[in-house]
Amino acid sequence: MGQAIRESRIFRPVLNDKLEDRTVPSHLLGGLGTSRVLVLIGEFASRGERVLDGAFGLGGDLGLRGGRGLGDLNLPGRGEASASTLKQDARLVNQAFQTFDASYSSAVAALRQTATSTTGPTQAGLTAYNTAVATAISKLNSSIGSDLSNLSSTGSGLITTIDGYTSTLQTELDSAGSGLANSTNRAVLALRREARLDIGQAQNQSDSAILNVKPTGTITGTALQSYNQAVRTAYQAFQLAISNAEQTAISGGTQLNNTAVSSAVSALQTSLGSAINGLGTAFTSSTYNPTSTVTTQLSSLQSQLLAIAAPTAGNTVSERLFLRTVSSVVDQSEGAINQAVATAIQSYNNSLL
């Protein structure tokens, strides 16, 4: 019983285990001839499909997940192509309001010092308070302008809109300060409560204005889905062609065939170029078009594949090393291409904000 259990653990592979952990003793492969080559090829032949299943998520988002060791890029689809950028800007504006609130608290504390337990603040105290509020508003506007400077198309309009909110806020805070009845805690708390409502309203209005920006001409989720499917098909065809070239190389103990590799790379380049063109003329005619970057990467891929040392025919270790090397070169190149296209799309969409 114990022996049977041990044997079952040895020869039953675990799902997604590494190839190195499933090495079959060489003496068991010694008489398999061509079938051994097919086994080796088979272990790698499906890598393209496995990787591609995670490389491009078909849901509107150009998500690069797993397989290539890449993190999620989460390119928004459905016309909200730069939602992450807008959210980031909104967070920065919220931080600017928090800084303003701290300055305003200091102004209230100074105003309180000019009041008594029975009378309101002095005129000099109110003048100093209003000046402090105006200075804090000016700094707030400056921070917001800086935070939204990355929005080349909509930033100036947003800044003007938010300046209107902060101008109203300044008027309301000046009025609230003049209404301070005395220096008691109750009176000061009433002032701060009123001010919090005014500041919160201006902040919420600013958030809404930023997050509701709807740029036109962005790459839509539908276009991304079509691109993802086209690239998936292109990579699968390329992986199959390279796997066939690997089988030939292992059988003959030679390097990858020049004609086979160049043909596979050329076909992949044509397919990727077509997929990129499908993202729209506005994108491909912009400075963000990644076609030249993809072409350069594919040229490098071809050179690297053809430079891989030939495996030693009949040597399992050499064959495995050859397959792993080819896989690594292909994976890194495809990952670089995916990243380049994703970055180009994100940059293009951001340029429309």
Side-chain angles (χ1 to χ4, degrees):
M1 175 69 73
Q3 180 66 21
I5 293 176
R6 285 193 296 272
E7 290 178 351
S8 67
R9 289 177 178 173
I10 292 174
F11 293 104
R12 183 178 301 164
V14 179
L15 183 63
N16 292 329
D17 60 343
K18 296 181 179 178
L19 179 61
E20 293 86 341
D21 297 332
R22 291 187 282 121
T23 301
V24 180
S26 59
H27 70 274
L28 295 179
L29 294 171
L32 295 180
T34 302
S35 64
R36 180 190 62 208
V37 175
L38 296 178
V39 168
L40 290 170
I41 292 295
E43 291 179 330
F44 284 84
S46 62
R47 71 175 184 275
E49 182 176 352
R50 292 198 305 273
V51 169
L52 290 170
D53 283 342
F56 287 91
L58 297 178
D61 290 359
L62 186 61
L64 305 186
R65 294 180 288 274
R68 303 294 172 198
L70 300 177
D72 288 349
L73 295 185
N74 293 326
L75 290 181
R78 302 173 300 282
E80 301 174 6
S82 300
S84 60
T85 297
L86 296 176
K87 289 179 181 179
Q88 177 181 347
D89 286 355
R91 284 194 294 269
L92 292 174
V93 169
N94 285 334
Q95 292 172 9
F97 270 98
Q98 292 172 7
T99 300
F100 169 81
D101 187 67
S103 298
Y104 178 72
S105 294
S106 297
V108 171
L111 180 65
R112 182 180 189 179
Q113 296 300 315
T114 69
T116 69
S117 59
T118 57
T119 62
T122 64
Q123 185 57 49
L126 284 173
T127 299
Y129 165 82
N130 290 341
T131 299
V133 170
T135 299
I137 289 288
S138 178
K139 291 181 178 179
L140 173 61
N141 289 339
S142 178
S143 294
I144 291 174
S146 177
D147 295 337
L148 301 180
S149 62
N150 63 319
L151 307 180
S152 57
S153 296
T154 60
S156 59
L158 271 176
I159 292 171
T160 299
T161 298
I162 295 176
D163 281 351
Y165 300 149
T166 59
S167 177
T168 299
L169 173 61
Q170 180 177 345
T171 300
E172 292 171 338
L173 294 180
D174 287 349
S175 175
S178 64
L180 180 63
N182 50 58
S183 63
T184 63
N185 290 338
R186 175 175 294 181
V188 174
L189 287 174
L191 169 59
R192 287 296 287 136
R193 186 178 301 110
E194 180 180 352
R196 276 198 299 271
L197 291 175
D198 294 335
I199 295 172
Q201 181 179 19
Q203 183 173 346
N204 289 337
Q205 289 173 324
S206 300
D207 279 349
S208 179
I210 295 170
L211 296 176
N212 285 329
V213 168
K214 301 295 183 183
T216 59
T218 58
I219 296 175
T220 65
T222 300
L224 287 177
Q225 287 181 346
S226 297
Y227 173 84
N228 289 340
Q229 184 58 57
V231 171
R232 181 193 296 271
T233 301
Y235 279 159
Q236 288 174 337
F238 175 75
Q239 294 279 9
L240 178 59
I242 294 301
S243 291
N244 290 335
E246 287 173 330
Q247 180 175 348
T248 300
I250 288 176
S251 298
T254 62
Q255 290 181 288
L256 292 172
N257 180 268
N258 191 319
T259 300
V261 171
S262 61
S263 176
V265 170
S266 177
L268 178 59
Q269 181 174 338
T270 298
S271 296
L272 292 180
S274 177
I276 291 173
N277 289 336
L279 293 173
T281 303
F283 174 62
T284 56
S285 62
S286 72
T287 58
Y288 303 102
N289 188 338
T291 299
S292 61
T293 301
V294 172
T295 298
T296 299
Q297 183 60 50
L298 289 176
S299 177
S300 175
L301 169 61
Q302 180 171 321
S303 298
Q304 292 180 65
L305 288 175
L306 294 177
I308 297 174
T312 301
N315 186 309
T316 302
V317 174
S318 176
E319 292 166 355
R320 290 183 185 279
L321 175 60
F322 173 74
L323 290 173
R324 283 196 294 268
T325 303
V326 173
S327 178
S328 177
V329 168
V330 171
D331 286 357
Q332 290 178 18
S333 182
E334 290 182 6
I337 291 171
N338 293 344
Q339 184 67 66
V341 175
T343 299
I345 292 174
Q346 184 71 74
S347 298
Y348 168 76
N349 286 335
N350 283 342
S351 72
L352 301 176
L353 288 174

